[in-house]
Amino acid sequence: MNQLLENTLTIDGQVVPFSAGQTIMDAALAAGIYIPHLCHKPELKPHGSCKLCTVDVDGRSMSACTFPASQGMQVANNTPALTEVRKTLVQMLFVEGNHLCPTCDKTGDCTLQALGYHLGMLDGHFPPFYPRREVDASHPDLILDRDRCIMCGLCVRASQQIDGKNVFALSGRGAQNHVIVNSPSGKLGDSDLNKDDLAAHICPVGAILPKNHGHEVPIGRRTFDLHTVAESDIATFNLHKTEHHDD
Amino acid sequence: MSDKHLRRIAIDPISRVEGHGKITLLMDQDNHVQEARLHIVEFRGFEKFIQGRPFTEVPYFVQRLCGICPVSHHLAAAKAVDQLVGVDPESVTPTTHKLRRLLHFGQVLQSHALHFFHLSSPDLLFGFSSNLAHRNIVGVLEDYPDIGLKGVKLRKYGQQVIAAIAGKRIHGAATVPGGMNKSLSDEERKALLVDIKDIIQWSQDAVDLNEQIHLQHPENHGFATLTTSYLGMVGKQGEMELYHGGLRARHADGSAIIDQFDYTNYTQLLREEVRNWSYMKFPYLTSLGRENGWYRVGPLARVNLADFITTPKAEAARQKFRAFAHGGYVHDTLAYHWARMIEMLHCAEAIEELLHDPDIMGTDLVVKGTARREGIGVIEAPRGTLFHHYQIDEQGLIEKANLIVSTTSNNQAMNESVRSVANQYLEGQEITEGLLNHLEVAIRAYDPCLSCATHALGKMPLQVELHNAQGDVISSLSKSANGTIGCTFD
C-alpha cells in the first residue's frame, strides 16, 4: 500500500489525506472541510477548550483540534446531532458573558456571533449570567472587556508563542475563570502589550479591541457580511498552514 | 389641595402608543378633574447602564432606546461623542455634515409618516369613537387606500434613505467618533432619486389633507389645546433646523425668552423636576420657574418658532399654517399633525436637494481633535428637542449620562392636555370607552412613542379606575392588549 493511501481518514464519508503529526482539524481544513471552532488558530498550539470542534471518531467524541489523525479513522462532523450539541455550547458561551451584539464594536467580525448564525441559534435558551467583570481601559490603544471573554486562551497563546511575551493568563476555575494581565498592577496599561502584537488582534470576540474606535467598517463590508465563518476559517488555515507536533 | 379629597381615575396603559402609559385623573368633590397624571411606570435605565462602557459604544447603545426614531438618538449621541474626540459640530467634514443631515431627514420623514398615517390618521379619518376594530392602519387601507398606501410608501422611502447610509433600516451603523463610516455611492444616490418626486408630491398631499381635516373640524381646534410657550432649534437666520442650530424659546404670544442659545449650555436653560409618581421627569425653563416654565416641543413648536423654512413648498405650507392663527402661534394640539406633515414635506424637499449635492459622495469623512471629558449633543428629533449629555473618565469610560428626550419635554403639556380632555368628556362617575379613546387621541398628538421616555415596548393591557374622594374604586374599565374592552370592577 502506498504512502498516500496509508495516510487517509474519512470525514462524513469523504476520504481526506493527512500527513504525520496533523490533527483531524488540520486535515479537515486542508481539505476544505469546515469543523466549527473558536479556540483554534493554525499558527498556535491547539488548546481544546471550546469543544466546538467535537466530532465523533469511531463512535467516540473527540476534539478535532487536538486529536491526531490516523489511518482509516472514521470521523462524523456535519451531523444534526453534533450541530445541536455545538449550538448548545455556543448558547452557553453567549449567556455566560454579556454578548450584546447590537452595540459591540466586533459585531459582523465576531466569530462567536458568526457561529451562532452558522449553527442556527435563535436565542440564548439558558438564563443569562449577566457577569460584572472589570473593564480594563488603562491601555492607551486597547481595551479589555472581560464580560465578553470566552476563555479560549488565544490571547494567552499568541502572546507567549508568537509575540514572545507573556501578557495574558487564565485564572480561576469554573464560573470564576477569567483572563488576567501580567503586569505589576494587573492592568493592561502597565503590561508590555503592544497594539501591533498578535495578542491584540486575535480575540475571536469583542473582549480585546482597539480603543477609541468602533463601527468603522460599514454594514455589508464586515468579515461575516462578506464570508461565511466556514469560508473565513478555511482561508485562514491556508494562510497559516502548519503542523502541530508535541514538543 | 390634598390628594385625599380627590377622586382618582386610572387609565392603564395607552394603546397605539409605544411604551407603557397610565393615566390617573384626580377629581375633586365637584367631579372636576383637578389634576391629570400621565404615569411613566417603566424604567429602562439607559443613563445608568451605559456607565462604565467605552464612549464609542454610546451611539449604538442609545439608538436602542427606540425602534421608531433610533437615528435621532444615534445622531444626538454622535454629536456628543464628536466632542469627546475634540470635534465640534462645525468642524466635521462637509461630507459628514451633509450625510448626517440626509440621514436625519430620512429619519424624520419615516417617523412622521408612521406617526400620522399608521397611528393617528385612523382617529382623524374615522372619528375618535368609531369602531376600534376598524380604527387602525388596515382600516385606512381598506377605506382610504390612496391615503393609506401613500403613507406606507412614504415611511418606506424614509427607511430606504436610512438604509443607504446606515446599512439597515432600523438600528444601523453610520457614525464613528468625528465622522461617518461611509458616504453614498453614485448608484445609491441615483436609486434614491428615482422616487423623490413622488415622495414630495405625496408629502404635499399629506399637508393638504391635514389642513383640510383641521379646517373642516372646528370641534378639533379646542381639543386638548393649550396656550403654551415653545422650545426648539432654529438655524442662524431663524429658519427651521432639525440637525444643528441654536435653541429658541418663545412665550405663547411669540415674545422672546431666549434665541440662538448654545445648546452645550443647556443646563443653564433647563432644570428637571422629579415627581414621585412617574419615572419621567418634568423639565422647565429655569428663568420662568417650576410652575410657569413648562413648554412644548416637536412639530407644532418648530413650525411656530421658525421664521421661515428653507424649502419652497414647506415654506408655503408654513405660511398657510400661520395664517390659520392670523400670524400668531397655532396652539391647537391636534394641529401637531398638520405641522408634522409640513415638516415631512420639508424633509422630502431637503432630501432631494442633498441627493443632488456631490459632497454626499465625498471621501473625507473623519476628523479628530484633542480629547475632552464632556460632550453634549442636541438634535431636533421627530417628537422634539433631544438632549444627550455624556461625561467620561480619563480612560474613556462613561462616568455620567443625562438624556432629555422629546417626550419628557412634553410631559407637563401631555398631562395638561389629558386634564383638558377629561374635563370635557368625563360624564358623571362613569368611565366610558369614549373617554378612554379621547384621552389616547390627545396623547398621540404629541407622541406615539413613549418608549424613549417610558422605556418599554409594545401594547399593554389598559385599565381605567375611578376612585372617589376617599380613594375607593367605584368603577373600572380594562382594555386588553388586543384592544378588547371589558369591565373589571363593579
Side-chain angles (χ1 to χ4, degrees), chain B residues 176-209:
Chain B
V176 297
M180 298 285 278
N181 65 14
K182 73 181 272 284
S183 54
L184 274 192
S185 68
D186 193 38
E187 189 180 28
E188 290 167 327
R189 186 184 69 87
K190 286 174 178 165
L192 291 173
L193 276 170
V194 169
D195 293 325
I196 190 63
K197 294 293 183 194
D198 284 341
I199 296 303
I200 292 172
Q201 183 56 52
W202 297 341
S203 299
Q204 179 70 64
D205 295 344
V207 172
D208 297 343
L209 174 65

PDB file of all heavy atoms in Angstrom, chain B residues 176-209:
ATOM      1  N   VAL B 176     -19.035  57.331  13.375  1.00  0.00           N
ATOM      2  CA  VAL B 176     -17.844  56.994  14.142  1.00  0.00           C
ATOM      3  C   VAL B 176     -17.417  58.283  14.836  1.00  0.00           C
ATOM      4  O   VAL B 176     -17.857  59.365  14.432  1.00  0.00           O
ATOM      5  CB  VAL B 176     -16.718  56.450  13.236  1.00  0.00           C
ATOM      6  CG1 VAL B 176     -17.130  55.152  12.571  1.00  0.00           C
ATOM      7  CG2 VAL B 176     -16.321  57.479  12.181  1.00  0.00           C
ATOM      8  N   PRO B 177     -16.597  58.191  15.869  1.00  0.00           N
ATOM      9  CA  PRO B 177     -16.189  59.435  16.525  1.00  0.00           C
ATOM     10  C   PRO B 177     -15.554  60.406  15.523  1.00  0.00           C
ATOM     11  O   PRO B 177     -14.573  60.076  14.871  1.00  0.00           O
ATOM     12  CB  PRO B 177     -15.165  58.951  17.566  1.00  0.00           C
ATOM     13  CG  PRO B 177     -15.587  57.545  17.873  1.00  0.00           C
ATOM     14  CD  PRO B 177     -16.082  57.000  16.571  1.00  0.00           C
ATOM     15  N   GLY B 178     -16.155  61.552  15.374  1.00  0.00           N
ATOM     16  CA  GLY B 178     -15.629  62.569  14.465  1.00  0.00           C
ATOM     17  C   GLY B 178     -16.072  62.441  13.025  1.00  0.00           C
ATOM     18  O   GLY B 178     -15.588  63.180  12.164  1.00  0.00           O
ATOM     19  N   GLY B 179     -16.994  61.529  12.730  1.00  0.00           N
ATOM     20  CA  GLY B 179     -17.392  61.414  11.327  1.00  0.00           C
ATOM     21  C   GLY B 179     -18.380  60.310  11.045  1.00  0.00           C
ATOM     22  O   GLY B 179     -19.192  59.943  11.889  1.00  0.00           O
ATOM     23  N   MET B 180     -18.304  59.802   9.841  1.00  0.00           N
ATOM     24  CA  MET B 180     -19.188  58.736   9.369  1.00  0.00           C
ATOM     25  C   MET B 180     -18.327  57.596   8.834  1.00  0.00           C
ATOM     26  O   MET B 180     -17.165  57.783   8.477  1.00  0.00           O
ATOM     27  CB  MET B 180     -20.089  59.253   8.246  1.00  0.00           C
ATOM     28  CG  MET B 180     -21.023  60.375   8.650  1.00  0.00           C
ATOM     29  SD  MET B 180     -22.423  59.806   9.627  1.00  0.00           S
ATOM     30  CE  MET B 180     -23.525  59.214   8.329  1.00  0.00           C
ATOM     31  N   ASN B 181     -18.920  56.402   8.752  1.00  0.00           N
ATOM     32  CA  ASN B 181     -18.111  55.270   8.283  1.00  0.00           C
ATOM     33  C   ASN B 181     -18.220  55.024   6.780  1.00  0.00           C
ATOM     34  O   ASN B 181     -17.493  54.204   6.236  1.00  0.00           O
ATOM     35  CB  ASN B 181     -18.418  53.988   9.079  1.00  0.00           C
ATOM     36  CG  ASN B 181     -19.838  53.476   8.882  1.00  0.00           C
ATOM     37  OD1 ASN B 181     -20.536  53.905   7.967  1.00  0.00           O
ATOM     38  ND2 ASN B 181     -20.268  52.564   9.748  1.00  0.00           N
ATOM     39  N   LYS B 182     -19.090  55.723   6.114  1.00  0.00           N
ATOM     40  CA  LYS B 182     -19.151  55.602   4.661  1.00  0.00           C
ATOM     41  C   LYS B 182     -19.916  56.796   4.086  1.00  0.00           C
ATOM     42  O   LYS B 182     -20.671  57.453   4.800  1.00  0.00           O
ATOM     43  CB  LYS B 182     -19.820  54.299   4.223  1.00  0.00           C
ATOM     44  CG  LYS B 182     -21.333  54.252   4.436  1.00  0.00           C
ATOM     45  CD  LYS B 182     -21.929  52.933   4.008  1.00  0.00           C
ATOM     46  CE  LYS B 182     -22.316  52.877   2.561  1.00  0.00           C
ATOM     47  NZ  LYS B 182     -23.545  53.582   2.202  1.00  0.00           N
ATOM     48  N   SER B 183     -19.698  57.035   2.817  1.00  0.00           N
ATOM     49  CA  SER B 183     -20.519  58.019   2.115  1.00  0.00           C
ATOM     50  C   SER B 183     -21.445  57.261   1.172  1.00  0.00           C
ATOM     51  O   SER B 183     -21.443  56.030   1.129  1.00  0.00           O
ATOM     52  CB  SER B 183     -19.638  59.010   1.359  1.00  0.00           C
ATOM     53  OG  SER B 183     -18.755  58.321   0.504  1.00  0.00           O
ATOM     54  N   LEU B 184     -22.220  58.000   0.419  1.00  0.00           N
ATOM     55  CA  LEU B 184     -23.128  57.354  -0.531  1.00  0.00           C
ATOM     56  C   LEU B 184     -22.403  57.118  -1.857  1.00  0.00           C
ATOM     57  O   LEU B 184     -21.630  57.967  -2.307  1.00  0.00           O
ATOM     58  CB  LEU B 184     -24.344  58.234  -0.793  1.00  0.00           C
ATOM     59  CG  LEU B 184     -25.542  58.151   0.151  1.00  0.00           C
ATOM     60  CD1 LEU B 184     -26.732  58.869  -0.458  1.00  0.00           C
ATOM     61  CD2 LEU B 184     -25.912  56.721   0.496  1.00  0.00           C
ATOM     62  N   SER B 185     -22.669  56.009  -2.478  1.00  0.00           N
ATOM     63  CA  SER B 185     -22.160  55.783  -3.830  1.00  0.00           C
ATOM     64  C   SER B 185     -23.089  56.482  -4.819  1.00  0.00           C
ATOM     65  O   SER B 185     -24.241  56.809  -4.485  1.00  0.00           O
ATOM     66  CB  SER B 185     -22.096  54.288  -4.122  1.00  0.00           C
ATOM     67  OG  SER B 185     -23.409  53.762  -4.201  1.00  0.00           O
ATOM     68  N   ASP B 186     -22.581  56.687  -6.007  1.00  0.00           N
ATOM     69  CA  ASP B 186     -23.426  57.321  -7.033  1.00  0.00           C
ATOM     70  C   ASP B 186     -24.641  56.442  -7.334  1.00  0.00           C
ATOM     71  O   ASP B 186     -25.742  56.941  -7.574  1.00  0.00           O
ATOM     72  CB  ASP B 186     -22.595  57.551  -8.295  1.00  0.00           C
ATOM     73  CG  ASP B 186     -23.301  58.487  -9.264  1.00  0.00           C
ATOM     74  OD1 ASP B 186     -23.939  59.457  -8.800  1.00  0.00           O
ATOM     75  OD2 ASP B 186     -23.252  58.226 -10.482  1.00  0.00           O
ATOM     76  N   GLU B 187     -24.423  55.153  -7.280  1.00  0.00           N
ATOM     77  CA  GLU B 187     -25.514  54.211  -7.529  1.00  0.00           C
ATOM     78  C   GLU B 187     -26.607  54.358  -6.458  1.00  0.00           C
ATOM     79  O   GLU B 187     -27.804  54.392  -6.778  1.00  0.00           O
ATOM     80  CB  GLU B 187     -24.940  52.781  -7.509  1.00  0.00           C
ATOM     81  CG  GLU B 187     -25.886  51.711  -7.948  1.00  0.00           C
ATOM     82  CD  GLU B 187     -25.225  50.331  -7.898  1.00  0.00           C
ATOM     83  OE1 GLU B 187     -24.310  50.134  -7.072  1.00  0.00           O
ATOM     84  OE2 GLU B 187     -25.627  49.464  -8.680  1.00  0.00           O
ATOM     85  N   GLU B 188     -26.186  54.435  -5.197  1.00  0.00           N
ATOM     86  CA  GLU B 188     -27.162  54.595  -4.104  1.00  0.00           C
ATOM     87  C   GLU B 188     -27.898  55.929  -4.244  1.00  0.00           C
ATOM     88  O   GLU B 188     -29.114  56.016  -4.025  1.00  0.00           O
ATOM     89  CB  GLU B 188     -26.441  54.535  -2.757  1.00  0.00           C
ATOM     90  CG  GLU B 188     -25.917  53.147  -2.415  1.00  0.00           C
ATOM     91  CD  GLU B 188     -24.930  53.159  -1.248  1.00  0.00           C
ATOM     92  OE1 GLU B 188     -24.181  54.151  -1.085  1.00  0.00           O
ATOM     93  OE2 GLU B 188     -24.878  52.161  -0.515  1.00  0.00           O
ATOM     94  N   ARG B 189     -27.156  56.962  -4.576  1.00  0.00           N
ATOM     95  CA  ARG B 189     -27.748  58.296  -4.734  1.00  0.00           C
ATOM     96  C   ARG B 189     -28.818  58.276  -5.839  1.00  0.00           C
ATOM     97  O   ARG B 189     -29.938  58.777  -5.634  1.00  0.00           O
ATOM     98  CB  ARG B 189     -26.638  59.278  -5.092  1.00  0.00           C
ATOM     99  CG  ARG B 189     -27.039  60.725  -5.165  1.00  0.00           C
ATOM    100  CD  ARG B 189     -25.859  61.576  -5.633  1.00  0.00           C
ATOM    101  NE  ARG B 189     -25.525  61.310  -7.030  1.00  0.00           N
ATOM    102  CZ  ARG B 189     -26.083  61.921  -8.069  1.00  0.00           C
ATOM    103  NH1 ARG B 189     -27.016  62.824  -7.857  1.00  0.00           N
ATOM    104  NH2 ARG B 189     -25.725  61.626  -9.308  1.00  0.00           N
ATOM    105  N   LYS B 190     -28.475  57.702  -6.975  1.00  0.00           N
ATOM    106  CA  LYS B 190     -29.416  57.670  -8.093  1.00  0.00           C
ATOM    107  C   LYS B 190     -30.645  56.818  -7.768  1.00  0.00           C
ATOM    108  O   LYS B 190     -31.771  57.140  -8.175  1.00  0.00           O
ATOM    109  CB  LYS B 190     -28.721  57.137  -9.348  1.00  0.00           C
ATOM    110  CG  LYS B 190     -27.767  58.159  -9.971  1.00  0.00           C
ATOM    111  CD  LYS B 190     -26.992  57.566 -11.128  1.00  0.00           C
ATOM    112  CE  LYS B 190     -26.091  58.623 -11.767  1.00  0.00           C
ATOM    113  NZ  LYS B 190     -25.076  58.039 -12.651  1.00  0.00           N
ATOM    114  N   ALA B 191     -30.428  55.749  -7.028  1.00  0.00           N
ATOM    115  CA  ALA B 191     -31.563  54.884  -6.654  1.00  0.00           C
ATOM    116  C   ALA B 191     -32.567  55.657  -5.798  1.00  0.00           C
ATOM    117  O   ALA B 191     -33.790  55.506  -5.945  1.00  0.00           O
ATOM    118  CB  ALA B 191     -31.061  53.655  -5.910  1.00  0.00           C
ATOM    119  N   LEU B 192     -32.064  56.505  -4.907  1.00  0.00           N
ATOM    120  CA  LEU B 192     -32.960  57.276  -4.044  1.00  0.00           C
ATOM    121  C   LEU B 192     -33.657  58.393  -4.814  1.00  0.00           C
ATOM    122  O   LEU B 192     -34.757  58.823  -4.450  1.00  0.00           O
ATOM    123  CB  LEU B 192     -32.185  57.854  -2.851  1.00  0.00           C
ATOM    124  CG  LEU B 192     -31.706  56.827  -1.824  1.00  0.00           C
ATOM    125  CD1 LEU B 192     -30.798  57.481  -0.790  1.00  0.00           C
ATOM    126  CD2 LEU B 192     -32.890  56.161  -1.128  1.00  0.00           C
ATOM    127  N   LEU B 193     -33.014  58.868  -5.859  1.00  0.00           N
ATOM    128  CA  LEU B 193     -33.610  59.953  -6.648  1.00  0.00           C
ATOM    129  C   LEU B 193     -34.807  59.478  -7.482  1.00  0.00           C
ATOM    130  O   LEU B 193     -35.651  60.293  -7.875  1.00  0.00           O
ATOM    131  CB  LEU B 193     -32.557  60.576  -7.575  1.00  0.00           C
ATOM    132  CG  LEU B 193     -31.672  61.660  -6.943  1.00  0.00           C
ATOM    133  CD1 LEU B 193     -30.516  62.031  -7.867  1.00  0.00           C
ATOM    134  CD2 LEU B 193     -32.492  62.901  -6.597  1.00  0.00           C
ATOM    135  N   VAL B 194     -34.868  58.183  -7.739  1.00  0.00           N
ATOM    136  CA  VAL B 194     -35.915  57.665  -8.636  1.00  0.00           C
ATOM    137  C   VAL B 194     -37.312  58.054  -8.147  1.00  0.00           C
ATOM    138  O   VAL B 194     -38.160  58.482  -8.926  1.00  0.00           O
ATOM    139  CB  VAL B 194     -35.794  56.124  -8.765  1.00  0.00           C
ATOM    140  CG1 VAL B 194     -37.019  55.552  -9.469  1.00  0.00           C
ATOM    141  CG2 VAL B 194     -34.521  55.757  -9.508  1.00  0.00           C
ATOM    142  N   ASP B 195     -37.546  57.918  -6.841  1.00  0.00           N
ATOM    143  CA  ASP B 195     -38.899  58.125  -6.309  1.00  0.00           C
ATOM    144  C   ASP B 195     -39.118  59.488  -5.663  1.00  0.00           C
ATOM    145  O   ASP B 195     -40.208  59.756  -5.146  1.00  0.00           O
ATOM    146  CB  ASP B 195     -39.214  57.035  -5.274  1.00  0.00           C
ATOM    147  CG  ASP B 195     -39.312  55.666  -5.908  1.00  0.00           C
ATOM    148  OD1 ASP B 195     -39.780  55.590  -7.053  1.00  0.00           O
ATOM    149  OD2 ASP B 195     -38.911  54.682  -5.257  1.00  0.00           O
ATOM    150  N   ILE B 196     -38.096  60.345  -5.655  1.00  0.00           N
ATOM    151  CA  ILE B 196     -38.196  61.535  -4.796  1.00  0.00           C
ATOM    152  C   ILE B 196     -39.306  62.483  -5.234  1.00  0.00           C
ATOM    153  O   ILE B 196     -39.945  63.136  -4.392  1.00  0.00           O
ATOM    154  CB  ILE B 196     -36.827  62.256  -4.711  1.00  0.00           C
ATOM    155  CG1 ILE B 196     -36.867  63.339  -3.632  1.00  0.00           C
ATOM    156  CG2 ILE B 196     -36.429  62.848  -6.061  1.00  0.00           C
ATOM    157  CD1 ILE B 196     -37.093  62.828  -2.237  1.00  0.00           C
ATOM    158  N   LYS B 197     -39.592  62.565  -6.523  1.00  0.00           N
ATOM    159  CA  LYS B 197     -40.670  63.479  -6.953  1.00  0.00           C
ATOM    160  C   LYS B 197     -42.016  63.015  -6.386  1.00  0.00           C
ATOM    161  O   LYS B 197     -42.835  63.833  -5.942  1.00  0.00           O
ATOM    162  CB  LYS B 197     -40.734  63.536  -8.488  1.00  0.00           C
ATOM    163  CG  LYS B 197     -39.509  64.159  -9.138  1.00  0.00           C
ATOM    164  CD  LYS B 197     -39.387  65.648  -8.813  1.00  0.00           C
ATOM    165  CE  LYS B 197     -38.190  66.261  -9.536  1.00  0.00           C
ATOM    166  NZ  LYS B 197     -37.842  67.598  -8.985  1.00  0.00           N
ATOM    167  N   ASP B 198     -42.242  61.714  -6.432  1.00  0.00           N
ATOM    168  CA  ASP B 198     -43.477  61.176  -5.845  1.00  0.00           C
ATOM    169  C   ASP B 198     -43.529  61.455  -4.351  1.00  0.00           C
ATOM    170  O   ASP B 198     -44.592  61.802  -3.802  1.00  0.00           O
ATOM    171  CB  ASP B 198     -43.561  59.659  -6.068  1.00  0.00           C
ATOM    172  CG  ASP B 198     -43.936  59.309  -7.504  1.00  0.00           C
ATOM    173  OD1 ASP B 198     -44.463  60.198  -8.207  1.00  0.00           O
ATOM    174  OD2 ASP B 198     -43.687  58.164  -7.914  1.00  0.00           O
ATOM    175  N   ILE B 199     -42.389  61.280  -3.689  1.00  0.00           N
ATOM    176  CA  ILE B 199     -42.355  61.470  -2.237  1.00  0.00           C
ATOM    177  C   ILE B 199     -42.711  62.916  -1.884  1.00  0.00           C
ATOM    178  O   ILE B 199     -43.477  63.173  -0.943  1.00  0.00           O
ATOM    179  CB  ILE B 199     -40.946  61.095  -1.692  1.00  0.00           C
ATOM    180  CG1 ILE B 199     -40.663  59.604  -1.924  1.00  0.00           C
ATOM    181  CG2 ILE B 199     -40.815  61.448  -0.215  1.00  0.00           C
ATOM    182  CD1 ILE B 199     -41.667  58.662  -1.310  1.00  0.00           C
ATOM    183  N   ILE B 200     -42.181  63.845  -2.656  1.00  0.00           N
ATOM    184  CA  ILE B 200     -42.504  65.261  -2.400  1.00  0.00           C
ATOM    185  C   ILE B 200     -43.998  65.509  -2.652  1.00  0.00           C
ATOM    186  O   ILE B 200     -44.669  66.158  -1.840  1.00  0.00           O
ATOM    187  CB  ILE B 200     -41.629  66.174  -3.282  1.00  0.00           C
ATOM    188  CG1 ILE B 200     -40.165  66.079  -2.827  1.00  0.00           C
ATOM    189  CG2 ILE B 200     -42.124  67.614  -3.221  1.00  0.00           C
ATOM    190  CD1 ILE B 200     -39.182  66.779  -3.749  1.00  0.00           C
ATOM    191  N   GLN B 201     -44.513  64.970  -3.731  1.00  0.00           N
ATOM    192  CA  GLN B 201     -45.932  65.188  -4.040  1.00  0.00           C
ATOM    193  C   GLN B 201     -46.831  64.566  -2.969  1.00  0.00           C
ATOM    194  O   GLN B 201     -47.809  65.172  -2.517  1.00  0.00           O
ATOM    195  CB  GLN B 201     -46.269  64.602  -5.428  1.00  0.00           C
ATOM    196  CG  GLN B 201     -47.703  64.852  -5.855  1.00  0.00           C
ATOM    197  CD  GLN B 201     -48.070  66.338  -5.856  1.00  0.00           C
ATOM    198  OE1 GLN B 201     -47.366  67.158  -6.456  1.00  0.00           O
ATOM    199  NE2 GLN B 201     -49.151  66.700  -5.144  1.00  0.00           N
ATOM    200  N   TRP B 202     -46.495  63.356  -2.551  1.00  0.00           N
ATOM    201  CA  TRP B 202     -47.319  62.690  -1.531  1.00  0.00           C
ATOM    202  C   TRP B 202     -47.230  63.429  -0.197  1.00  0.00           C
ATOM    203  O   TRP B 202     -48.197  63.469   0.565  1.00  0.00           O
ATOM    204  CB  TRP B 202     -46.885  61.224  -1.362  1.00  0.00           C
ATOM    205  CG  TRP B 202     -47.088  60.399  -2.597  1.00  0.00           C
ATOM    206  CD1 TRP B 202     -47.907  60.691  -3.641  1.00  0.00           C
ATOM    207  CD2 TRP B 202     -46.435  59.168  -2.909  1.00  0.00           C
ATOM    208  NE1 TRP B 202     -47.811  59.708  -4.603  1.00  0.00           N
ATOM    209  CE2 TRP B 202     -46.918  58.753  -4.182  1.00  0.00           C
ATOM    210  CE3 TRP B 202     -45.500  58.374  -2.267  1.00  0.00           C
ATOM    211  CZ2 TRP B 202     -46.490  57.585  -4.795  1.00  0.00           C
ATOM    212  CZ3 TRP B 202     -45.073  57.197  -2.876  1.00  0.00           C
ATOM    213  CH2 TRP B 202     -45.565  56.816  -4.132  1.00  0.00           C
ATOM    214  N   SER B 203     -46.068  63.985   0.084  1.00  0.00           N
ATOM    215  CA  SER B 203     -45.935  64.778   1.319  1.00  0.00           C
ATOM    216  C   SER B 203     -46.792  66.021   1.226  1.00  0.00           C
ATOM    217  O   SER B 203     -47.423  66.436   2.206  1.00  0.00           O
ATOM    218  CB  SER B 203     -44.468  65.155   1.545  1.00  0.00           C
ATOM    219  OG  SER B 203     -43.659  64.007   1.697  1.00  0.00           O
ATOM    220  N   GLN B 204     -46.801  66.629   0.036  1.00  0.00           N
ATOM    221  CA  GLN B 204     -47.668  67.797  -0.178  1.00  0.00           C
ATOM    222  C   GLN B 204     -49.134  67.397   0.008  1.00  0.00           C
ATOM    223  O   GLN B 204     -49.911  68.112   0.652  1.00  0.00           O
ATOM    224  CB  GLN B 204     -47.445  68.355  -1.585  1.00  0.00           C
ATOM    225  CG  GLN B 204     -48.304  69.564  -1.925  1.00  0.00           C
ATOM    226  CD  GLN B 204     -47.877  70.814  -1.148  1.00  0.00           C
ATOM    227  OE1 GLN B 204     -46.759  71.309  -1.331  1.00  0.00           O
ATOM    228  NE2 GLN B 204     -48.746  71.302  -0.281  1.00  0.00           N
ATOM    229  N   ASP B 205     -49.496  66.230  -0.529  1.00  0.00           N
ATOM    230  CA  ASP B 205     -50.871  65.739  -0.370  1.00  0.00           C
ATOM    231  C   ASP B 205     -51.210  65.562   1.116  1.00  0.00           C
ATOM    232  O   ASP B 205     -52.337  65.842   1.547  1.00  0.00           O
ATOM    233  CB  ASP B 205     -51.054  64.396  -1.086  1.00  0.00           C
ATOM    234  CG  ASP B 205     -50.901  64.524  -2.602  1.00  0.00           C
ATOM    235  OD1 ASP B 205     -50.965  65.654  -3.109  1.00  0.00           O
ATOM    236  OD2 ASP B 205     -50.702  63.476  -3.254  1.00  0.00           O
ATOM    237  N   ALA B 206     -50.232  65.083   1.880  1.00  0.00           N
ATOM    238  CA  ALA B 206     -50.465  64.852   3.314  1.00  0.00           C
ATOM    239  C   ALA B 206     -50.665  66.176   4.041  1.00  0.00           C
ATOM    240  O   ALA B 206     -51.484  66.280   4.958  1.00  0.00           O
ATOM    241  CB  ALA B 206     -49.299  64.076   3.926  1.00  0.00           C
ATOM    242  N   VAL B 207     -49.905  67.196   3.628  1.00  0.00           N
ATOM    243  CA  VAL B 207     -50.104  68.530   4.220  1.00  0.00           C
ATOM    244  C   VAL B 207     -51.519  69.020   3.911  1.00  0.00           C
ATOM    245  O   VAL B 207     -52.249  69.479   4.801  1.00  0.00           O
ATOM    246  CB  VAL B 207     -49.058  69.527   3.663  1.00  0.00           C
ATOM    247  CG1 VAL B 207     -49.399  70.948   4.125  1.00  0.00           C
ATOM    248  CG2 VAL B 207     -47.657  69.149   4.106  1.00  0.00           C
ATOM    249  N   ASP B 208     -51.896  68.884   2.643  1.00  0.00           N
ATOM    250  CA  ASP B 208     -53.226  69.352   2.227  1.00  0.00           C
ATOM    251  C   ASP B 208     -54.330  68.605   2.978  1.00  0.00           C
ATOM    252  O   ASP B 208     -55.330  69.201   3.395  1.00  0.00           O
ATOM    253  CB  ASP B 208     -53.401  69.169   0.712  1.00  0.00           C
ATOM    254  CG  ASP B 208     -52.405  70.011  -0.087  1.00  0.00           C
ATOM    255  OD1 ASP B 208     -51.831  70.956   0.498  1.00  0.00           O
ATOM    256  OD2 ASP B 208     -52.188  69.703  -1.277  1.00  0.00           O
ATOM    257  N   LEU B 209     -54.153  67.313   3.138  1.00  0.00           N
ATOM    258  CA  LEU B 209     -55.149  66.502   3.852  1.00  0.00           C
ATOM    259  C   LEU B 209     -55.292  66.981   5.290  1.00  0.00           C
ATOM    260  O   LEU B 209     -56.414  67.129   5.803  1.00  0.00           O
ATOM    261  CB  LEU B 209     -54.715  65.023   3.827  1.00  0.00           C
ATOM    262  CG  LEU B 209     -55.574  64.068   4.653  1.00  0.00           C
ATOM    263  CD1 LEU B 209     -56.989  63.970   4.084  1.00  0.00           C
ATOM    264  CD2 LEU B 209     -54.930  62.661   4.699  1.00  0.00           C
TER     265      LEU B 209
END
